[in-house]
Amino acid sequence: EPEVTQTPSHQVTQMGQEVILRCVPISNHLYFYWYRQILGQKVEFLVSFYNNEISEKSEIFDDQFSVERPDGSNFTLKIRSTKLEDSAMYFCAGPKDRYTDTQYFGPGTRLTVL
Amino acid sequence: ELKVEQNPLFLSMQEGKNYTIYCNYSTTSDRLYWYRQDPGKSLESLFVLLSNGAVKQEGRLMASLDTKARLSTLHITAAVHDLSATYFCAVDKLETSGSRLTFGEGTQLTVNP
């Protein structure tokens, strides 16, 4: 069964550095989502991406964050200048196929900011 | 603002016992989801409940939805150790911009032999 893939699985960076997290969703559905989960806490919505544009973003998704779909398949989340509090698991999610809206989550990228 | 509350947050139970996890949400939503998360892993979709009175079962887990009470339950029957995980409920509202999920705090379930 096709899966959402994310790279890297673990990223360690210094505070103030830029990081790019990558995702390849299952299908060519138009909606994709990014969520984050700080260790031991609940999953929080970051941003939704529809038809190559941001459709909704949370208060967490400030000017330091951006999303792109650079080549029609990959889907990236960029953090321009990382802070210690950005340390978390970052998940991308998307529908499995055009017939269902259930969001299937990728394996996640663990971001550690030192 | 849509809020989702789960209880209990921590649940330790013996194998073979039954128990229920509760999920309350604050405003009308379109769909109610249950996910399972093992430590250090991603979220695995368990159930999607779409309408009032919906009931779904998979193995020892059964989920139900009461939209009037804004309540969903996840019932565990004859628990086994393999069910140990964190269980999240989440709700969404269908908008033209998609359907962002709002999650509860999660219930950390430990099943003891």
Side-chain angles (χ1 to χ4, degrees):
Chain A
E1 183 174 309
E3 296 180 345
V4 178
T5 58
Q6 289 186 245
T7 55
S9 58
H10 191 191
Q11 175 88 46
V12 180
T13 189
Q14 295 291 324
M15 189 170 55
Q17 295 297 305
E18 175 184 284
V19 294
I20 298 176
L21 312 182
R22 293 182 170 82
C23 168
V24 180
I26 295 174
S27 69
N28 290 322
H29 203 285
L30 294 177
Y31 290 105
F32 304 103
Y33 306 85
W34 283 99
Y35 294 84
R36 81 170 186 189
Q37 184 182 31
I38 295 171
L39 184 63
Q41 298 187 20
K42 67 179 179 182
V43 180
E44 301 173 290
F45 169 79
L46 287 176
V47 64
S48 59
F49 198 72
Y50 170 69
N51 202 22
N52 296 326
E53 292 184 352
I54 291 175
S55 57
E56 187 180 5
K57 56 185 180 180
S58 71
E59 58 277 5
I60 302 170
F61 195 90
D62 60 22
D63 292 344
Q64 294 301 313
F65 289 87
S66 62
V67 290
E68 289 183 355
R69 196 174 184 190
D71 60 9
S73 59
N74 291 309
F75 183 41
T76 63
L77 175 69
K78 181 192 293 185
I79 309 175
R80 291 189 182 82
S81 178
T82 50
K83 302 185 287 286
L84 294 176
E85 53 264 38
D86 293 328
S87 295
M89 283 289 286
Y90 288 82
F91 296 105
C92 74
K96 180 180 177 182
D97 54 46
R98 60 184 294 182
Y99 304 109
T100 175
D101 289 321
T102 299
Q103 292 187 31
Y104 287 84
F105 283 71
T109 293
R110 178 174 297 283
L111 176 64
T112 303
V113 182
L114 303 176
Chain B
E1 180 187 351
L2 180 58
K3 293 184 180 179
V4 182
E5 293 184 348
Q6 288 181 237
N7 73 84
L9 299 182
F10 298 93
L11 177 56
S12 180
M13 55 191 298
Q14 296 293 317
E15 279 192 329
K17 298 293 187 182
N18 305 331
Y19 210 83
T20 300
I21 300 170
Y22 298 88
C23 173
N24 287 92
Y25 52 99
S26 59
T27 63
T28 303
S29 74
D30 292 299
R31 293 174 294 199
L32 190 294
Y33 301 78
W34 284 97
Y35 286 89
R36 168 182 171 145
Q37 186 179 41
D38 292 297
K41 302 294 185 181
S42 185
L43 289 93
E44 174 190 356
S45 177
L46 296 175
F47 303 107
V48 182
L49 303 170
L50 303 177
S51 59
N52 188 44
V55 177
K56 290 193 175 180
Q57 183 164 4
E58 181 73 33
R60 301 174 187 274
L61 302 177
M62 183 175 71
S64 66
L65 178 62
D66 180 345
T67 57
K68 294 180 181 177
R70 295 177 187 159
L71 170 68
S72 178
T73 61
L74 181 66
H75 187 72
I76 304 155
T77 302
V80 293
H81 180 69
D82 286 350
L83 290 179
S84 296
T86 299
Y87 293 85
F88 290 94
C89 66
V91 297
D92 71 0
K93 283 189 71 64
L94 295 173
E95 308 280 358
T96 55
S97 58
S99 59
R100 62 182 286 179
L101 292 175
T102 301
F103 282 82
E105 301 278 351
T107 296
Q108 186 175 317
L109 171 66
T110 303
V111 182
N112 302 303

